[in-house]
Every structure is written in C-alpha cells, then in structure tokens.
C-alpha cells in the first residue's frame, strides 16, 4: 500500500488561514458579538484560521436549537435510524480520516504518527456507539406489592448535552461525546477547546453531510470562562459531559448546581506505573517511556509516577532515559516525528516551570529538562522527553499533574508499602504494573485505586471497555455500555392490571 503523504499546512483545506464560523441549528454563523480568535500551529506559530468566538449569547442560541431538535423530528428517529446515521457518519470520517488527523496535528501538535494511528480506534468508537443505539432496553422487574401491579423501566435520552472538551485529542474527544449522545437520541452543544477548535468544526460539517438533522449537533468554539461557563451553568442543559483539568471540573460542578444537571467528569491524573525487578525489561522500558512521552505527555492517564524496584532502579531509569533520548522530536507533520510540540505558550511555561521545580526539589534530570530551541524548534513549543531521577513521594513533581513529557522516577523496596505510596495521590485515573508474577499482578490490580489498571502494557483502550476515574480524576465512564447509560434516564412504570 502506498504510504500516505503529509499535507502541508498551507494546502490543508480547513487550515488555510481563513475565517471559520460556528455551527448552530445546521447553519454556519458568526458570533453574535462578531468577535473572533486565532488558531495557530504550535509547531510553527503559523496562523491556521480565524475562528468565531462564541460566548453566552451563542451558547443560548445553540442550546435553544438543541432543545428544538430534541423535541422535534429527531425524537422520532428509531434506534435503527440513529444507528444507520452513526454508521454513515463513521463512513464519512473514514473517507476523510487523513484530512481530520492532519487537522489535529496542525491544530494541537500531536505528530501524524500518532493522530493517523488513531484511525481504527476512532472509527471503532463510532461504530460501537452505533451498535448501542439498537441495544438500549429497560427491564421488567418483579415487585412484591399486593394485588396485580406490573412494573418495568424505560430508558430515555437525558436531553440536551453540553459537551466541553480539551485540546489534547480533539477528534477522539469529540467522538467520545457525540457517539453516545446520538446513539441515545440526545442532542449536543459541543464546546471545543480554544487551543484546538478546527477538527470539531470540520466534524460538524461532516455530520451535516451525513444527514444529522439541524440542531442535533451544534459546535460553538470559544473560551472556557465565557462559552464553557455559560454552557455549564445553562438552565436548559440536562447534562454536561466534561473532559479537562480537575480545577475546571470543580468549576463545572459548581456551575451545574443551578438546575442540578447531570455531570460526568473525566479529569486529570498522576498515575503510578510500577516496575518490578521480575518484569520483562525489554517490554517495560518502551512501555513505561511511552506511557508518558506519547502526545508529549499531554494525556490525562499518563503513567507519570514511575515506581521502580530498587535493585533495578539505576539500570531501568537509565534505559528509559536512553529510549527518550532516541525519540525524534519535531513538527509532527513530518511522518517520522514521534514527539510533537506542547500545545501552547501556557503549556510550555507550565512544563518548563516544573523543570525548575524538579531541580530545586533536588531531583536530577537524567535526560531532558530544558526547552528545545535549535533551528526551527525555536518557533514552536518544544520540550524533550524528560526523566527526573531521585524523586521522592512528597515532591511536587511527584504529586502535581505536569501534562508534559516528564517522568518522575521513584524507587521502592517494599511491595506492601508500595500500594500505600502508589495510592497516596488525590487522583485515580490510570495505573500500570510490570511483572512476570501473575499473583503480584492480580494483587496490585485490586489494590490500586484507579479507574484503569494496565498490566504489562499501558494505555490499552477499546470502545467496549470503560474508562474513567476514581477520586479527583472524576466520575462517570467513557466507552463501554456504562458510557451509554450516562446519557439515559431510567423511568419506572407501574401498571395495575387487576
Ligand atoms: P487545560 O488546562 O488543559 O486547558 P481546561 O480544563 O482548562 O484544561 O480546559 C478544558 C476545556 O474546559 C476547554 O474547552 C476549556 O475552554 C473549558 N473550560 C475552561 N474553563 C472553564 C470553565 N470555567 N467552565 C467551563 N468550561 C471551561
């Protein structure tokens, strides 16, 4: 098969520097305020598009459109029709996948080697949700009431969903919200991250082409404090599905209190990745390294607290550092590049700030630890894969989410105490265990307080397998039938038959 060629930025049909409107009620419109913001390529600083900047007024229009659609013809779509629509949407995404994955690369920096590799997962997700559309069912429940009273449950769509997504994986994040919403018969107002609005807008266009009725999917780009906050607080939104930082998650929960809307939160993490001396080291080195370096560490479940058994600590940490050094960092539009830039100046300041914090706390950067500025890298927000050794549990670099390609390597001796140490975090999203000992693997899988445990692998994901957090990593699950349930209400029906 011929290798797909990279599309250069100025030839990309959706990132040619031109103006982009927002999608409300099936129409492409400017912001009510007339305001716009710019979207730039974080690898080069080049302007990709000028985007309509939605705020409260636009959110109000979009929510009204979503409500009309929810109560209008969309409510008459049968499960089979919703399934077919999702399958058609998936086919269109498949047809345009190179374009969409390139747009993700241009807008937020993840290399093509990563965004293109997501094809099967993205398509699998939509097709999984399509299947779920025809699997929704209530139950008949035997009750103990005297007389003849029959009881059963109905599952009904929750209504208008406000979907607020981050920038670290715009295509996947959009599908993760649109898929279950359409499967269940909900409607959506999607608020992309201000750093990366282009793929969600293009998806809105493809949804219309697939035949999604006006108002069922609305896409309103804008800033978090304005458009995002308006959506979270909106009295006519029935559910907010949010992915992002725990601080914003807290703001959203507070904002949701006005109408007690349902909220699901997929937040940050500081996930432990544990390597025992009996592990298959050749597999654990790249596994533990890419558990953090993938997407430049901008993944909520990244295995950033690397616990390594003391007797292999120096050797293992050295090998992970070597591996990191060998990764090609650069503009992700080059298909050979493995590590792209960070998404923004803000992220760059945050990550380089933690480089300083780590040094001051007494950890030593075995590799990386400084911004990259040679040649063209100086035009973007590049940092190298970084490994801090001699990290102690209480250091800030072992406690706080950095959201960069930064491993904090911590040594351990006592496996029993390790469980406590691994769980000594406010977060609980991912976790990893590398060992050849199956009983150790099971023991840790049970003891770790996190929504996912990966044994001898990391970041394995499947549309049918639930993903989500414990503790301050949030609540609710994405993927799996649990995800679909989050978009449904349960109604109990009682019928006296006597
Ligand atoms: P990050 O810090 O990684 O950018 P955020 O949690 O700030 O993560 O952003 C994730 C999403 O939440 C973005 O779409 C952003 O615009 C939105 N957002 C930020 N602040 C708020 C807020 N106060 N209310 C609602 N949404 C917000």
């Amino acid at each position: 098969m011929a290798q797909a060629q990279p599309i250069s930025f100025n030839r990309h049909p959706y990132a040619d520097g031109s103006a982009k409107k927002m999608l409300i009620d099936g129409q492409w419109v400017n912001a009510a305020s007339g305001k716009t913001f710019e979207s730039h390529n974080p690898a080069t600083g080049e302007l990709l598009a000028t985007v309509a900047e939605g705020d409260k007024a636009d959110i109000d229009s979009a929510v009204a459109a979503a409500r009309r659609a929810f109560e209008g013809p969309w409510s008459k779509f049968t499960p089979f029709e919703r399934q077919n629509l999702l399958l058609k949407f998936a086919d269109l995404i498949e047809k345009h996948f190179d374009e969409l994955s390139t747009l993700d690369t241009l807008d937020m920096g993840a290399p093509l080697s990563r965004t293109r590799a997501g094809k099967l997962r993205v398509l699998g997700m939509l097709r999984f949700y399509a299947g779920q559309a025809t699997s929704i069912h209530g139950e008949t429940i035997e009750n103990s009431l005297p007389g003849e009273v029959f009881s059963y449950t109905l599952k009904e769509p929750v209504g208008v969903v406000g979907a607020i997504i981050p920038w670290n994986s715009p295509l996947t994040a959009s599908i993760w919200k649109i898929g279950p919403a359409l499967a269940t018969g909900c409607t959506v107002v999607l608020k992309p991250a201000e750093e990366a609005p282009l793929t969600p807008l293009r998806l809105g266009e493809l949804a219309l082409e697939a035949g999604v009725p006006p108002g069922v999917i609305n896409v309103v780009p804008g800033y978090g404090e304005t458009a995002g906050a308006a959506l979270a607080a909106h009295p006519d939104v029935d559910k907010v599905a949010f992915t992002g930082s725990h601080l914003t998650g807290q703001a959203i929960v507070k904002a949701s209190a006005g109408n007690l809307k349902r909220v699901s939160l997929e937040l940050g993490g500081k996930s432990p990745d544990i390597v025992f001396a009996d592990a298959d080291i050749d597999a654990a080195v790249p596994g533990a390294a890419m558990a953090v370096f993938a997407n430049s560490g901008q993944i909520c479940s990244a295995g950033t607290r690397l616990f390594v058994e003391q007797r292999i600590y120096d050797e293992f940490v050295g090998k992970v550092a070597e591996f990191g050094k060998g990764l090609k960092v650069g503009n992700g539009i080059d298909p050979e590049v493995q590590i792209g830039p960070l998404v923004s100046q803000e992220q760059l300041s945050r990550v380089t700030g933690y480089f300083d914090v780590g040094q001051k706390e007494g950890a030593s950067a075995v590799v990386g630890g400084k911004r990259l500025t040679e040649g063209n890298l100086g035009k973007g927000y590049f940092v190298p894969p970084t490994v801090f050794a001699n990290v102690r549990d209480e250091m800030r670099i072992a406690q706080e989410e950095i959201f960069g390609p930064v491993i904090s390597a911590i040594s351990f001796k006592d496996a029993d105490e390790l469980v406590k140490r691994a769980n000594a975090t406010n977060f609980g999203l991912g976790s990893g265990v590398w060992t050849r000992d199956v009983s150790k693997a099971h023991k840790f899988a049970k003891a770790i307080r996190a929504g996912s445990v990966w044994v001898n692998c990391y970041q394995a994901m499947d549309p049918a397998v639930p993903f989500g957090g414990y503790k301050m990593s949030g609540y609710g699950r994405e993927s799996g039938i649990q995800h679909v349930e989050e978009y449904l209400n349960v109604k109990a029906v009682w019928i006296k038959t006597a």
Side-chain angles (χ1 to χ4, degrees):
M1 209 169 69
Q3 189 134 28
Q5 289 303 306
I7 305 171
S8 86
F9 127 76
N10 54 7
R11 285 196 292 115
H12 192 285
Y14 216 77
D16 54 2
S18 64
K20 295 280 168 283
K21 296 183 178 180
M22 60 181 81
L23 177 62
I24 297 179
D25 209 7
Q27 303 294 318
W28 293 97
V29 294
N30 288 316
S33 66
K35 283 201 226 162
T36 59
F37 66 101
E38 293 185 345
S39 194
H40 291 268
N41 182 337
T44 60
E46 286 162 311
L47 178 72
L48 298 173
T50 306
V51 182
E53 182 192 324
D55 61 21
K56 186 174 180 309
D58 310 288
I59 291 290
D60 284 346
S61 311
V63 171
R67 176 63 58 192
R68 282 194 301 277
F70 179 68
E71 288 168 359
W74 178 236
S75 65
K76 305 283 184 300
F77 269 57
T78 64
F80 198 48
E81 286 168 335
R82 295 200 304 274
Q83 180 176 59
N84 280 338
L85 187 60
L86 275 164
L87 290 173
K88 203 165 161 206
F89 190 28
D91 289 347
L92 267 179
I93 290 175
E94 183 165 23
K95 186 170 153 206
H96 293 275
F97 194 81
D98 272 4
E99 183 205 332
L100 289 163
S101 51
T102 305
L103 203 49
D104 262 9
T105 293
L106 292 170
D107 213 10
M108 55 67 65
L112 276 184
S113 59
R114 174 180 173 79
T115 54
R116 288 208 172 143
K119 184 169 184 174
L120 282 181
R121 187 168 36 83
V122 166
L123 296 171
M125 282 163 78
L126 260 186
R127 288 170 179 151
F128 169 81
Y129 294 117
Q132 292 301 307
T134 50
S135 305
I136 295 165
H137 57 272
E139 294 172 311
T140 58
I141 304 165
E142 230 181 309
N143 63 66
S144 305
L145 293 189
E148 288 170 34
V149 187
F150 173 56
S151 52
Y152 64 94
T153 58
L154 292 174
K155 297 279 178 75
E156 297 178 341
V158 112
V160 174
V161 175
I164 303 177
I165 60 167
W167 42 262
N168 61 345
S169 201
L171 179 56
T172 301
S174 303
I175 298 298
W176 241 348
K177 311 296 185 209
I178 291 172
L182 267 58
T184 52
C186 293
T187 56
V188 189
V189 176
L190 177 66
K191 208 296 281 171
E194 49 271 43
E195 294 86 350
L198 297 182
T199 311
L201 286 169
R202 178 70 180 118
L203 275 180
E205 217 170 40
L206 291 177
L208 291 182
E209 195 179 328
V212 174
V216 172
I217 299 176
N218 306 274
V219 187
V220 182
Y223 290 96
E225 311 81 69
T226 50
L231 192 54
H234 203 290
D236 203 29
V237 169
D238 298 294
K239 168 186 164 73
V240 167
F242 173 69
T243 304
S245 66
H246 73 282
L247 292 173
T248 304
Q250 289 172 321
I252 283 174
V253 170
K254 283 185 194 142
S256 72
N259 70 336
L260 291 174
K261 59 175 67 67
R262 196 185 284 194
V263 177
S264 56
L265 303 168
E266 201 264 275
L267 308 176
K270 193 72 187 177
S271 301
D273 194 12
I274 300 164
V275 184
F276 286 99
D278 65 11
D280 173 351
I281 302 297
D282 290 344
V285 167
M290 291 314 283
V292 179
F293 299 149
N295 212 21
S296 297
Q298 302 170 126
I299 298 181
C300 41
S301 50
T304 47
R305 280 187 302 146
L306 180 61
F307 287 97
V308 185
E309 193 160 354
Q310 195 183 47
R311 64 195 160 93
I312 59 159
Y313 182 87
D314 288 340
E315 177 204 345
F316 191 82
V317 172
K319 283 185 172 170
V320 170
E322 260 326 286
F323 184 91
K325 214 191 278 179
L327 294 171
K328 185 168 177 190
V329 182
N331 185 343
I333 208 74
D334 170 354
E336 309 262 289
V337 160
Q338 292 157 296
I339 307 290
L342 298 172
V343 75
S344 61
Q345 176 60 51
E346 194 186 334
Q347 265 298 110
L348 179 69
S349 305
R350 178 188 172 96
V351 174
T352 52
Y354 276 106
F355 289 161
D356 297 339
V357 169
Q359 316 264 9
K360 279 199 196 109
E361 288 182 312
S364 43
V366 191
V367 68
K370 265 207 187 90
R371 181 186 177 180
L372 297 171
T373 51
E374 312 84 69
N376 281 335
L377 296 183
K379 293 186 188 158
Y381 310 120
F382 291 95
V383 294
T386 295
V387 179
F388 274 116
N390 306 321
V391 177
R392 293 189 312 277
D393 296 358
E394 70 281 7
M395 289 181 178
R396 283 181 60 198
I397 57 166
Q399 289 294 328
E400 297 171 17
E401 186 176 41
I402 299 174
F403 230 56
V406 184
I407 290 177
S408 298
I410 309 169
S411 147
F412 74 90
K413 221 162 57 182
D414 180 329
D416 287 329
E417 200 195 314
L418 174 66
V419 171
K420 259 198 226 138
R421 294 172 63 191
N423 282 334
T425 163
N426 291 331
F427 297 108
L429 193 56
S431 61
V433 182
W434 300 84
T435 179
R436 284 191 170 101
D437 179 340
V438 74
S439 61
K440 233 187 247 172
H442 279 290
K443 183 178 158 203
F444 274 83
K446 197 158 162 51
I448 295 290
R449 298 201 61 218
S452 297
V453 183
W454 289 288
V455 178
N456 296 329
C457 59
Y458 207 92
Q459 291 302 8
M461 290 269 193
D462 185 273
V465 181
F467 175 78
Y470 281 33
K471 301 192 269 182
M472 285 183 75
S473 293
Y475 40 80
R477 290 292 176 269
E478 301 203 273
S479 292
I481 47 174
Q482 292 84 348
H483 193 192
V484 178
E485 294 289 330
E486 312 239 352
Y487 288 71
L488 293 168
N489 269 325
V490 183
K491 179 186 278 175
V493 183
W494 299 85
I495 301 196
K496 184 139 187 173
T497 52

